[in-house]
Amino acid sequence: MKKFARLFIALLLVCIMTIGAAAAEITVGIVNNPPSESGYREANVKDFEAVFSSENGYTAKTFYSLKNDEQLSAAQQFITDGVDYLLISAAETTGWDAVLASAEENGIPVFLFDRMIDCDESLYAAAVVSDMANQGKLAVEWLIAQNLTEYKIIHIQGAMGSDAQIGRTGALDKQVAENDNWTIVVQQTATWDEAEAKKIVESVINSKEDFNIIYAENDGMARGAVAALDDAGITHGVNGKVIVIGFDCNRWALREVLAGTWNYDGQCSPFQAQVISDMIKILEEGGTIETKLVISEEKGFDAATITQADIDQYGLGE
Amino acid sequence: MKRFASKIKWSKYTQLLKTKWSKYTQLLKTKWSKYTQLLKTKWSKYAQLLKAKGRKHAQLLVPLLSILLIAVFNLLRDPSFFSVEISKNNLDNPVLTGNLISILNGASELAVISMGMTLVTAACGGQDISVGALGTIAASVFVKILRDGQITAGTIVLAFLACCAAAMVFGAFNGTLVSVFKIQPMIATLVLFTCGRSVAYWINGGATPTIESPLINAVGSFIPGCPVPTPILIVIAVGLLLGALLRFTTLGLYTQTVGINQRAARLNGINPTLIKLASFLVLGLCCAVAGCISASRLGLINHETMLQEIEMDAILAVAIGGNALGGGKFRITGSVLGAYAIQALTITLYAMKVPSTDVKAYKAIVIIIIVVISSPVVKQAISRLWAKVKENSQKKKEVAA
């Protein structure tokens, strides 16, 4: 009898929840990385909170973790809870097939944002992602446009194997391999750590090797590299000896670009929520999504052309 | 006749000379033997002293050896590795540059934290794995206060004191779990290890807040006019303070006693709970100092990457320093030397341009070598071998005699 009562209560709860979900609001389950991860993620989380708010007719359930297995169980929980849509930025690209299949069985459309997942295209409704390789390509194209006679590069990489590292390294490696006047003085990972980036550049300066470009795969590491240049009395930025390139467009980094102490900052857009919201509206009205893969439009900011308005619009953090 | 007389005279003289000579030689001999005796006793005294001191300092052999190993390797590889120069930085101040300076400067955070880690290890027989997170929380408090007001020397001191207080609160949290609730240190500190960086993020509420001021620059890199990087000076100051604390109070002795035998310590009127708690408080202060150095270096705090994996390096520094990881006897100097050895290894790998993907593997190989050499099994084998060699040479001597 007791067991039956429990089952009954559980069923009742499920019914209440589904009824609640069926009411006017659209329920979305958002699985993301925690905002403390980076300036990028902070902006990303804020963007989703703003778009999927109750004012816009949504009920958002969120789960943040850097660990894939925790994300997986959270996504499964959201499916069990009966959300209408599932939005995922996966910590790792693999291991998601079972969860996505279960979402499909339950008729829950899945949207991937920020990062791709290694799975069959049929398992998700659409993916709105950044193209890290394109960010690297834009930066390299900007470098080519500078028309230097020689490119001697200190390349500071992010955590090896991460999406951003692979994408941003790829374009540069290709260009260096194909051109004789492009050489890599040193290529080393600082695992996104600013202090480590400073040590790497210091070691190059101590070895007295010549270089004229610093290609750091995020803003923090570029800042560390610049600190090493400052300590050694090497000029940088516009009219300086060394060209400084960073990525992510933190607001403080864009201010450095505006001041001319850095030369270029590549954007990594965290604003995918609106695009996904628009797609959900289409589905709600019974339409279909035509393009499955949407790549966020991203650009780079050059010290010569950047304006305060750019910083206000595209800068992340404060 | 005349000739005869002269002969007698001659013989007299020679006689006299002979007796006198023998007297002198006698005297000389006795004196000599006295001197040698004296020298011998003195020498044996010195030797004894030297041996005793050697035993006392033997612990430093491993870290010194590992530093020497890395130094010799670099000397063979590229002697210019050691060059130190004075140049001008972009603010037009004279500054020291060179790999040696990079090592001393870069190891500052690790050196300070491994000092505190040594005390915790000695008292509790376990390690604190939350030091990176704790340092980040402290730095976060430091940055938060500086961002809320204007950055002046006064506010920097205030922010530093506040961050010390915060670090001590969290240190006391760890310490209470370990000393009062008797939880294994690694498990107790796992709590803060897991959630510490999130706490640091909540304090500031932004992913990479920045603080910019020439004063922060002076704390994190160079004081105008002083060519030595400030973090090196801070490490010296902390080392002296801690050294004085151990020298002029009974904290060191009590810590060691608690680490060796907690019950015996209690029977002798020492409160183990208090001593363990004190070690965590000191470690908390060390983390606060390290956090402030780290945040001031670049005027930026990234909660996820600041003092990344420093807990493992600090434990390694304590181990390389020859301290028993199970508690008891300890030498802070050893740990600090261990910290510099680790940093020297990193900088060497950077100077050698080891590919990014291989760095950790190379580091692991060298660490395996150092740790195996300092392991008790190898130490015993070496001392046994040494005893055998001694015995053999003695036997040979006996045979020759």
Side-chain angles (χ1 to χ4, degrees), chain A residues 35-39 42 66 157 160 185-196 198-200 202-203 206 208-209 220 223-224 227 229-236 250 252 256 318, chain B residues 83 85 87-90 95 97-99 102 105-106 147 201 205-208 210-212 221-222 297-300 302-305 308 343 346-347 349-351 353-357 359:
Chain A
S36 63
E37 181 210 57
S38 60
E42 190 195 1
L66 279 173
Q157 297 169 294
M160 299 303 286
V185 178
V186 86
Q187 184 176 51
Q188 185 62 264
T189 176
T191 57
W192 308 125
D193 184 347
E194 301 77 18
E196 217 53 38
K198 183 175 179 224
K199 286 179 199 164
I200 291 167
E202 263 178 17
S203 91
N206 290 337
K208 306 257 181 315
E209 268 176 286
R223 190 180 175 102
L229 296 181
D230 280 336
D231 277 357
I234 298 171
T235 56
H236 52 83
N250 283 294
W252 54 263
E256 296 278 357
E318 35 196 312
Chain B
S83 71
E85 288 169 18
S87 57
K88 290 246 161 142
N89 69 3
N90 275 350
V95 296
T97 57
N99 282 315
S102 293
N105 188 6
R147 278 173 65 83
Y201 174 74
T208 54
T210 55
I211 36 172
E212 312 217 13
S221 38
F222 291 95
R297 263 188 210 285
L298 300 168
L300 164 139
N302 181 339
H303 304 103
E304 290 298 323
T305 60
Q308 212 173 26
Q343 193 62 43
T346 310
I347 298 286
L349 290 178
Y350 285 155
K353 295 187 186 171
V354 172
S356 328
T357 40
V359 166

Side-chain angles (χ1 to χ4, degrees), chain A residues 9 21 55 59 72 88 129 133 183 211 220 240 266 276 282 289 296 302 313:
Chain A
I9 291 171
E55 291 96 66
T59 308
L72 281 168
I88 303 169
V129 293
T183 45
F211 61 92
I276 293 178
I282 292 174
I289 297 168
S296 306
D302 183 343
Q313 189 180 350

Side-chain angles (χ1 to χ4, degrees), chain A residues 139 142-155 182 211-216 222 225-226 229 234-246 260-265 302-303:
Chain A
W142 179 86
L143 266 178
I144 295 169
Q146 302 310 302
N147 264 329
L148 305 181
T149 47
E150 247 187 319
Y151 292 83
K152 295 177 187 163
I153 305 160
I154 296 184
H155 180 188
W182 287 59
F211 61 92
N212 59 358
I213 291 159
I214 284 182
Y215 184 96
V226 166
L229 296 181
I234 298 171
T235 56
H236 52 83
V238 181
N239 302 324
K241 180 176 172 290
V242 177
I243 288 175
V244 179
I245 292 177
T261 47
W262 294 16
N263 301 71
Y264 178 93
D265 203 27
D302 183 343

Side-chain angles (χ1 to χ4, degrees), chain A residues 32-146:
Chain A
N32 202 345
N33 296 275
S36 63
E37 181 210 57
S38 60
Y40 171 87
R41 192 63 56 191
E42 190 195 1
N44 187 236
V45 167
K46 271 191 189 152
D47 182 40
F48 275 79
E49 278 172 0
V51 171
F52 293 100
S53 60
S54 50
E55 291 96 66
N56 294 344
Y58 290 102
T59 308
K61 298 182 176 187
T62 54
F63 180 80
Y64 305 129
S65 172
L66 279 173
K67 298 200 174 73
N68 213 38
D69 52 336
E70 288 179 10
Q71 284 193 340
L72 281 168
S73 55
Q76 190 64 59
Q77 188 60 46
F78 284 153
I79 294 169
T80 318
D81 290 351
V83 295
D84 298 325
Y85 298 93
L86 193 57
L87 279 46
I88 303 169
S89 168
E92 283 168 33
T93 53
T94 52
W96 284 88
D97 300 71
V99 170
L100 296 189
S102 134
E104 197 180 28
E105 275 169 28
N106 288 287
I108 300 172
V110 175
F111 290 92
L112 308 182
F113 64 94
D114 169 32
R115 298 173 183 184
M116 283 303 288
I117 288 178
D118 243 351
C119 68
D120 194 75
E121 215 186 58
S122 63
L123 288 175
Y124 54 84
V128 183
V129 293
S130 289
D131 186 353
M132 302 291 183
N134 192 48
Q135 294 169 17
K137 218 174 102 191
L138 283 175
V140 169
E141 274 166 9
W142 179 86
L143 266 178
I144 295 169
Q146 302 310 302

Side-chain angles (χ1 to χ4, degrees), chain B residues 267-280:
Chain B
L267 289 176
N268 280 294
I270 301 169
N271 185 351
T273 311
L274 213 64
I275 295 294
K276 285 181 180 177
L277 197 63
S279 73
F280 272 98

Side-chain angles (χ1 to χ4, degrees), chain B residues 274-296:
Chain B
L274 213 64
I275 295 294
K276 285 181 180 177
L277 197 63
S279 73
F280 272 98
L281 289 181
V282 173
L283 178 58
L285 285 178
C286 290
C287 289
V289 173
C292 289
I293 295 176
S294 185
S296 305

Side-chain angles (χ1 to χ4, degrees), chain B residues 332-349:
Chain B
I332 287 189
T333 324
S335 306
V336 173
L337 287 174
Y340 287 125
I342 293 170
Q343 193 62 43
L345 177 60
T346 310
I347 298 286
T348 304
L349 290 178

